[in-house]
Amino acid sequence: HGALKTKLSDLHQEQQLLKLLGEWRTDAAQAQDYLPRLETLLKSVRELAIPSQFFRALAVRTEAQSEIETLVIKGKYGIDYLEEQKQLDHLLTVGDVVQASRIIINCSDTTWKDQLKARFQERGPRVMSEQVRKFVNATDPDLAGAEAAISNYRSNLLEVLPTEQLEMLCARWENYVKEYSEYFYYSRCVADQQNRTTLNTFLEKVHNDGPRAQLVKARIDYLDWLVQPRDWNVEARVVVNYHSGNIANNPDVTTYLGTPELALTSSKVEDLESGTEITGLSGQIPNLRPDEEAKIIVSFLVEYGVFGTYQNNLGQYVCQEKLCDHAEVGATRLSLTGGDPDAAKNVVELTVKPVIDAGIPLVRLDPAGAPPELDDEELLK
């Protein structure tokens, strides 16, 4: 019941406001040749207190104010002036503030000129700000267009805006475009941290200045470091486990570590006991870039005396070091087969580990964060 009473009270109050506005509009239409009455009505409409929830009343107040303002201007400056004002308003509506300023500059009537200038100063700065925002906030931001527009404002609006106000506005917009440009190009760097062109474009846009510039430079140094040739240490470990009922038939094992182009090391263990670890299979692959691939060959030859020789090539493992992470091929279990029935139970466990001794810390770019906002309302009042 209380809510219904409140709703009915609000409805009644809005109806009263709408009725009053209607009476003022009628009064203005009847008094259109009497300027003092029109100015009084205009002041009343502007100062009428309307709660924000009364949307219809607010819309009607806007219409009434526009109608009475037109009558006041017509009474002060004549009907011909209204055409000049209409053209000025149209240009401001479409965002062409420079062309709108030329109407004022070219106006020969001093009274008209002052009125047009006052109208421009009331609406122009907000339109200029909206144009800057449009360039920057587009799906594909036109930052160069925003910079050109600001430069155009500074050069062409000196006769229609106070110098201090114009400079204050342009400086604020230039700083906003600068901040947005840094955010925009840095966001691209974050999304494509491997692309040197993207990173260098960012440095160019920020003129190699600022904390983010230092981080991007460090990232470029890191990418350069990644492709510098260096020497790689490679190590292989072989453990041979087997079962044989013939003590005299422990195998001899010869192992080999290398690349297709380079023999690194080899080792032979005679009369191998089960579980023996073959060490010393290590060497260095020289002058290899981290983004290149090195095929590492590990092979071994198992000799079982009177029962024959069995050779097994463990194949090629690819060492692909990226971003200073240590690649490792884990333990590989491989069964051998041959003339000795017990040899079928043999198992070889193999580990190949390429490592690099020297390194540079991985540099990743921080998130770009949120785009900057343009808060220039206090300058547009």
Side-chain angles (χ1 to χ4, degrees):
H1 178 71
L4 180 60
K5 283 186 68 176
T6 300
K7 193 169 185 178
L8 289 173
S9 175
D10 286 350
L11 180 62
H12 176 72
Q13 184 181 352
E14 186 170 26
Q15 290 294 339
Q16 291 297 108
L17 290 170
L18 289 170
K19 180 181 177 182
L20 180 59
L21 286 168
E23 292 173 352
W24 285 347
R25 292 172 80 173
T26 301
D27 194 358
Q30 295 173 349
Q32 56 181 291
D33 293 328
Y34 185 51
L35 189 57
R37 177 59 181 157
L38 292 173
E39 290 179 329
T40 299
L41 288 169
L42 180 58
K43 181 179 180 182
S44 298
V45 170
R46 285 173 173 170
E47 295 177 353
L48 181 63
I50 301 178
S52 60
Q53 69 269 27
F54 293 169
F55 300 112
R56 284 190 305 160
L58 289 169
V60 171
R61 195 258 294 276
T62 300
E63 295 172 0
Q65 181 173 324
S66 177
E67 290 175 6
I68 301 173
E69 277 181 346
T70 299
L71 293 174
V72 169
I73 291 170
K74 177 182 175 183
K76 281 185 175 182
Y77 308 109
I79 194 168
D80 291 337
Y81 168 81
L82 288 176
E83 288 302 315
E84 291 287 296
Q85 179 182 287
K86 182 179 178 181
Q87 188 177 0
L88 177 75
D89 290 346
H90 169 71
L91 290 172
L92 291 176
T93 300
V94 299
D96 194 348
V97 291
V98 173
Q99 192 62 36
S101 72
R102 293 189 179 126
I103 291 179
I104 302 169
I105 295 169
N106 296 330
C107 181
S108 57
D109 187 301
T110 304
T111 304
W112 287 15
K113 191 168 189 171
D114 290 342
Q115 174 62 18
L116 291 172
K117 183 183 289 188
R119 196 171 186 85
F120 183 94
Q121 291 176 359
E122 181 182 355
R123 295 184 53 193
R126 192 170 297 280
V127 174
M128 294 154 66
S129 183
E130 290 170 357
Q131 291 302 110
V132 173
R133 293 172 194 264
K134 281 183 181 179
F135 281 116
V136 173
N137 297 335
T139 303
D140 185 13
D142 184 2
L143 300 173
E147 292 171 351
I150 297 168
S151 177
N152 207 17
Y153 296 157
R154 181 178 272 120
S155 301
N156 290 283
L157 302 183
L158 286 168
E159 294 187 43
V160 293
L161 284 176
T163 303
E164 183 179 352
Q165 181 190 22
L166 177 61
E167 182 54 39
M168 192 179 299
L169 288 168
C170 288
R172 173 68 64 92
W173 295 329
E174 283 174 338
N175 187 62
Y176 169 61
V177 172
K178 178 184 177 182
E179 290 179 355
Y180 197 96
S181 175
E182 181 183 11
Y183 161 80
F184 176 73
Y185 287 103
Y186 185 76
S187 297
R188 291 187 170 187
C189 292
V190 173
D192 192 7
Q193 300 192 21
Q194 299 296 108
N195 192 324
R196 284 178 176 78
T197 300
T198 300
L199 299 172
N200 282 314
T201 298
F202 168 79
L203 293 177
E204 176 186 330
K205 294 299 179 180
V206 302
H207 307 291
N208 290 295
D209 188 30
R212 282 178 171 172
Q214 299 306 314
L215 186 60
V216 171
K217 288 177 184 177
R219 176 68 186 178
I220 292 174
D221 291 342
Y222 171 72
L223 294 179
D224 291 340
W225 174 86
L226 278 182
V227 296
Q228 292 173 359
R230 61 183 63 87
D231 298 337
W232 297 84
N233 298 318
V234 182
E235 177 184 355
R237 180 173 58 87
V238 178
V239 179
V240 180
N241 298 306
Y242 65 94
H243 299 281
S244 177
N246 186 348
I247 298 177
N249 197 29
N250 287 349
D252 300 336
V253 177
T254 302
T255 54
Y256 166 81
L257 172 66
T259 69
E261 299 82 15
L262 182 67
L264 298 179
T265 187
S266 63
S267 179
K268 182 173 182 179
V269 178
E270 298 178 345
D271 194 24
L272 182 76
E273 294 183 8
S274 179
T276 299
E277 178 177 325
I278 301 174
T279 60
L281 285 176
S282 61
Q284 196 173 73
I285 303 175
N287 204 38
L288 178 69
R289 284 175 24 181
D291 59 347
E292 293 178 331
E293 297 180 352
K295 291 186 177 180
I296 303 170
I297 300 173
V298 180
S299 62
F300 56 92
L301 182 70
V302 181
E303 300 176 57
Y304 278 98
V306 298
F307 291 97
T309 299
Y310 306 94
Q311 182 173 11
N312 212 5
N313 189 331
L314 296 188
Q316 297 178 330
Y317 292 86
V318 177
C319 160
Q320 230 179 344
E321 293 277 331
K322 300 287 185 179
L323 302 180
C324 203
D325 296 330
H326 294 310
E328 179 171 347
V329 179
T332 302
R333 299 175 63 85
L334 181 65
S335 295
L336 304 181
T337 59
D340 182 349
D342 290 325
K345 301 176 184 178
N346 291 348
V347 175
V348 173
E349 296 180 354
L350 172 74
T351 299
V352 178
K353 186 178 182 182
V355 299
I356 180 170
D357 296 329
I360 187 172
L362 168 61
V363 178
R364 291 196 184 279
L365 303 184
D366 297 330
E373 296 181 0
L374 176 58
D375 181 17
D376 58 2
E377 289 303 312
E378 70 275 12
L379 300 181
L380 301 177
K381 292 177 181 179

